[in-house]
Amino acid sequence: MQCLKCRGFMMVERHYTLLNRRIYARCLNCGFWIDLADLLRFFHKVIDSGRKGDKVRESFMF
């Protein structure tokens, strides 16, 4: 997986807390990270709105 900022290598990490479990991807070069669950929810909403014929009004801030 390539970093969205510097095109470096991103490593997937799992973080466990008392309340939830999260999966992140973190760049080994610049330290940029992204929550993969949020990214999956975003693409699910985009695909779902496209299937319904609605305009895509979702945004994902990096």
Side-chain angles (χ1 to χ4, degrees):
M1 189 170 169
Q2 280 189 338
C3 178
L4 301 172
K5 284 188 172 183
C6 72
R7 302 290 184 220
F9 181 73
M10 292 190 84
M11 181 177 69
V12 175
E13 301 176 343
R14 288 187 292 176
H15 291 268
Y16 294 100
T17 63
L18 294 175
L19 299 176
N20 59 8
R21 288 173 277 180
R22 290 290 194 174
I23 299 175
Y24 297 100
R26 184 177 56 90
C27 179
L28 296 175
N29 188 31
C30 70
F32 175 74
W33 66 274
I34 190 166
D35 185 358
L36 295 176
D38 288 341
L39 191 64
L40 184 63
R41 272 187 233 106
F42 166 73
F43 283 116
H44 179 70
K45 288 179 183 177
V46 168
I47 291 170
D48 192 39
S49 64
R51 188 180 318 138
K52 291 179 184 175
D54 297 338
K55 286 189 175 182
V56 177
R57 297 181 190 268
E58 302 297 328
S59 63
F60 192 83
M61 302 300 269
F62 288 111

